[in-house]
Amino acid sequence: MRELDQLMLRYLDARWPAASDAERAIFLQLLDTEDDKLWRWFMGRERPEDTSLADLVARILDLPP
């Protein structure tokens, strides 16, 4: 999905260079998630059970466009 790609690219541009190893590991875990689940998370229809993933989703959504 193009919208998900744009969100991920926004994160890579804005946060990846300064991200800690732990945050990078969480992002890689996020990338392994099925697109339909990611879509529900980023649209606010569901929340990841893993708090680390939920926090990262929130940080990505808070990034400026």
Side-chain angles (χ1 to χ4, degrees):
M1 292 184 202
R2 182 179 303 259
E3 294 86 355
L4 289 175
D5 291 344
Q6 289 174 344
L7 286 168
M8 300 304 166
L9 288 172
R10 187 183 315 164
Y11 172 83
L12 289 171
D13 289 341
R15 292 205 43 118
W16 181 266
S20 67
D21 289 341
E23 184 174 321
R24 287 180 178 206
I26 295 165
F27 181 75
L28 294 176
Q29 183 181 353
L30 190 68
L31 292 181
D32 285 336
T33 305
E34 298 171 7
D35 282 353
D36 60 328
K37 188 175 282 191
L38 287 174
W39 182 253
R40 291 191 302 268
W41 292 351
F42 282 103
M43 293 297 106
R45 295 189 176 135
E46 290 181 12
R47 182 174 165 85
E49 290 181 18
D50 182 310
T51 57
S52 297
L53 284 172
D55 291 344
L56 183 57
V57 167
R59 282 195 301 269
I60 292 171
L61 287 171
D62 286 342
L63 290 172

